[in-house]
C-alpha cells in the first residue's frame, strides 16, 4: 500500500503540519498514544483509525463523541475511502490526505536577492527615521499652506491625528499579515504608507504649481485624480504583497480595483456635498513666488477688453431672459 501524507490545515486551508504514514493501521486523536496527535478539545482521545482494506486505505470513526465528516458533500460518515486530495473534518480541524505521487506546482524561480530598498522597507531601525521625516515634511507643508498665525505647537497638533491614523492603518494591515502569512510586518506597512502619503503630498504641490505656472485651469484636479489612482494602487499593492499569498498579477488587479472604487466613492461624496452655487473662488489662496509664472502675461488693455466682452455677454443673456 502506498504511503499517505496527512496534512493538518488551518481555517484558511493553509498547511500547518504534515505527517508521513507508511505503517497501518494508524490512529488519530488527542491522546498521546496516537500516531498523529491533534490539539483540538473537540476531538476524542482516539478519534480515527486509518487501515488497509482491500488494497485501499479507509479512515474510520472509532465511536468518537463528535464524529467524522466529509467536506464534499458535508455530511457525517462512519467510514471514508481515502483518495488523493480527500479532505475531512474532525472536531474543529480539517485534514487532507495526499499520496506520494500527488502532482505539485512548479518551483518558483528566485529572480534575485532581496534588494536594498526591500531590506530598508522592512527594517525596524528605519521606521523611526521615516516617522521623523514624515512629521517634519507634514509640518513644513502645513507651514507653507497656512495663511494665519502659526506656532510650532499648532503645526504638530495638525500632524498628530494623521500620524495616529497611519499607525492604525499599518497596524490593521500587520494583523492581516500575521493571520494570513504568520508574519507581522508592521515596519513595512508603516514605512510604506508614510512614504506614499508623502509622495501624494509632493504630487499635489506639483500639480498646484503647474496650474499656477502655466495658467491651465483644471489641470491640478486632473493631475491629482490620475496620480491619486496610481499612488493608491501602489499603496494597496504593497500591502497585499506582504499580507497575502496572492500572485503579483492578481494583487495588482485587486489593488487597482480597490483604488478606483475608494477614490470614486470619495469623489462622489465630495460632489454630493458641494453646493450648486458658491461664492468661494476655485483657485488656491496660497501665495506663490511670481517667478513660477510661465504663462504669457496679460496686459491691462487685454484684461479690460476681456472684461468688457464678459459684460456684453451678461447684458445679452439678461436681456434674453427678460
Amino acid at each position: 500500500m502506498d504511503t499517505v501524507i496527512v496534512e493538518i490545515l488551518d481555517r484558511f486551508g493553509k498547511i500547518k503540519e504534515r505527517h508521513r504514514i507508511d505503517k497501518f493501521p494508524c490512529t488519530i486523536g488527542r491522546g498521546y498514544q496516537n500516531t498523529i496527535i491533534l490539539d483540538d478539545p473537540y476531538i476524542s482521545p482516539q478519534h480515527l483509525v486509518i487501515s488497509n482494506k482491500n488494497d485501499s486505505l479507509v479512515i474510520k470513526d472509532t465511536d468518537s463523541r463528535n464524529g467524522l465528516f466529509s467536506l464534499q458533500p458535508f455530511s457525517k460518515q462512519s467510514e471514508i475511502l481515502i483518495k488523493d486530495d480527500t479532505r475531512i473534518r474532525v472536531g474543529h480541524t480539517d485534514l487532507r490526505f495526499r499520496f506520494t505521487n500527488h502532482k505539485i506546482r512548479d518551483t518558483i524561480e528566485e529572480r534575485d536577492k532581496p534588494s536594498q530598498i526591500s531590506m530598508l522597507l522592512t527594517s525596524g531601525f528605519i521606521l523611526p527615521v521615516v516617522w521623523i521625516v514624515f512629521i517634519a515634511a507634514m509640518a513644513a507643508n502645513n507651514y507653507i499652506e497656512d495663511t494665519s498665525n502659526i506656532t510650532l505647537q499648532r503645526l504638530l497638533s495638525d500632524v498628530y491625528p494623521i500620524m495616529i491614523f497611519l499607525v492604525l492603518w499599518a497596524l490593521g494591515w500587520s494583523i492581516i499579515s500575521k493571520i494570513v502569512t504568520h508574519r507581522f510586518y508592521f515596519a513595512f506597512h508603516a514605512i510604506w504608507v508614510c512614504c506614499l502619503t508623502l509622495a501624494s503630498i509632493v504630487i499635489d504641490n506639483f500639480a498646484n504649481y503647474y496650474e499656477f505656472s502655466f495658467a491651465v485651469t483644471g489641470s491640478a484636479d486632473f493631475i491629482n485624480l490620475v496620480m491619486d489612482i496610481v499612488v493608491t494602487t501602489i499603496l494597496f499593492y504593497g500591502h497585499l504583497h506582504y499580507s497575502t499569498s496572492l500572485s503579483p498579477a492578481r494583487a495588482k488587479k485587486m489593488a487597482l480595483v480597490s483604488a478606483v472604487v475608494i477614490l470614486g466613492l470619495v469623489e462622489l461624496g465630495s460632489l454630493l456635498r458641494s453646493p450648486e452655487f458658491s461664492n468661494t473662488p476655485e483657485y488656491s489662496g496660497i501665495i506663490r513666488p511670481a517667478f513660477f509664472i510661465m504663462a504669457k502675461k496679460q496686459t491691462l488693455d487685454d484684461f479690460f477688453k476681456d472684461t468688457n466682452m464678459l459684460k456684453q455677454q451678461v447684458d445679452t443673456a439678461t436681456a434674453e431672459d427678460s
Side-chain angles (χ1 to χ4, degrees):
M1 175 53 58
D2 198 2
T3 300
V4 67
I5 311 299
V6 182
E7 297 178 338
I8 303 174
L9 309 178
D10 63 14
R11 59 187 175 205
F12 300 102
K14 288 185 172 293
I15 300 170
K16 293 169 57 178
E17 300 176 26
R18 283 191 177 102
H19 298 270
R20 183 185 182 94
I21 306 298
D22 50 19
K23 293 182 180 180
F24 305 96
C26 75
T27 58
I28 299 175
R30 195 159 41 90
Y32 288 98
Q33 75 279 9
N34 293 286
T35 309
I36 298 177
I37 302 171
L38 300 177
D39 184 18
D40 183 342
Y42 297 91
I43 289 177
S44 298
Q46 184 175 315
H47 202 110
L48 305 170
V49 61
I50 302 176
S51 58
N52 187 349
K53 184 177 181 181
N54 299 327
D55 205 28
S56 297
L57 291 180
V58 294
I59 186 163
K60 185 177 181 180
D61 181 22
T62 56
D63 296 325
S64 63
R65 175 168 294 184
N66 293 315
L68 164 66
F69 293 85
S70 62
L71 293 186
Q72 293 179 349
F74 185 80
S75 62
K76 192 171 185 179
Q77 307 284 342
S78 60
E79 185 177 290
I80 297 175
L81 177 65
I82 296 178
K83 299 179 181 179
D84 190 50
D85 247 7
T86 294
R87 190 166 167 176
I88 66 170
R89 167 75 60 84
V90 284
H92 287 185
T93 303
D94 284 3
L95 301 177
R96 182 169 61 198
F97 300 89
R98 285 178 171 173
F99 296 115
T100 53
N101 60 353
H102 179 82
K103 186 177 180 181
I104 62 174
R105 295 180 180 178
D106 294 336
T107 304
I108 299 174
E109 183 179 354
E110 186 71 49
R111 295 182 179 178
D112 48 20
K113 295 180 180 179
S115 64
Q116 292 293 330
I117 295 177
S118 177
M119 294 179 68
L120 286 174
L121 290 176
T122 54
S123 172
F125 297 102
I126 300 299
L127 180 57
V129 177
V130 172
W131 275 346
I132 293 172
V133 172
F134 179 82
I135 292 172
M138 289 294 297
N141 185 71
N142 291 341
Y143 176 81
I144 293 172
E145 292 189 348
D146 203 326
T147 56
S148 58
N149 293 329
I150 302 171
T151 62
L152 179 61
Q153 182 179 2
R154 179 180 171 186
L155 286 176
L156 294 178
S157 65
D158 291 339
V159 177
Y160 287 152
I162 300 175
M163 277 298 304
I164 293 172
F165 173 79
L166 296 186
V167 169
L168 292 176
W169 174 273
L171 183 61
W173 280 103
S174 301
I175 293 173
I176 297 174
S177 297
K178 182 64 176 177
I179 294 172
V180 178
T181 67
H182 308 295
R183 295 184 180 181
F184 201 56
Y185 284 131
F186 177 76
F188 168 79
H189 292 296
I191 293 172
W192 190 247
V193 70
C194 285
C195 290
L196 288 181
T197 302
L198 283 178
S200 179
I201 293 171
V202 170
I203 292 170
D204 178 69
N205 280 289
F206 167 79
N208 289 330
Y209 271 95
Y210 176 84
E211 182 172 320
F212 172 79
S213 300
F214 297 98
V216 183
T217 305
S219 60
D221 291 338
F222 177 76
I223 294 173
N224 282 325
L225 178 60
V226 173
M227 295 309 299
D228 281 347
I229 293 175
V230 173
V231 171
T232 308
T233 300
I234 296 172
L235 173 69
F236 276 105
Y237 173 74
H239 288 315
L240 289 171
H241 180 68
Y242 275 83
S243 299
T244 67
S245 56
L246 295 173
S247 65
R250 192 170 182 182
K252 289 175 184 177
K253 290 178 182 178
M254 288 189 64
L256 178 59
V257 171
S258 300
V260 171
V261 169
I262 291 174
L263 293 175
L265 291 175
V266 171
E267 289 295 326
L268 179 61
S270 176
L271 182 64
L272 293 176
R273 288 194 304 270
S274 61
E276 184 177 359
F277 300 101
S278 174
N279 58 1
T280 304
E282 295 182 358
Y283 56 84
S284 173
I286 301 170
I287 299 174
R288 295 180 173 86
F291 62 80
F292 276 101
I293 299 176
M294 302 296 176
K296 182 180 178 181
K297 296 178 176 59
Q298 189 179 37
T299 64
L300 285 176
D301 293 337
D302 292 336
F303 174 79
F304 285 113
K305 182 179 179 181
D306 292 340
T307 305
N308 290 330
M309 291 178 60
L310 178 61
K311 180 178 181 300
Q312 292 175 4
Q313 292 174 0
V314 172
D315 291 342
T316 302
T318 303
E320 290 176 353
D321 292 339
S322 59

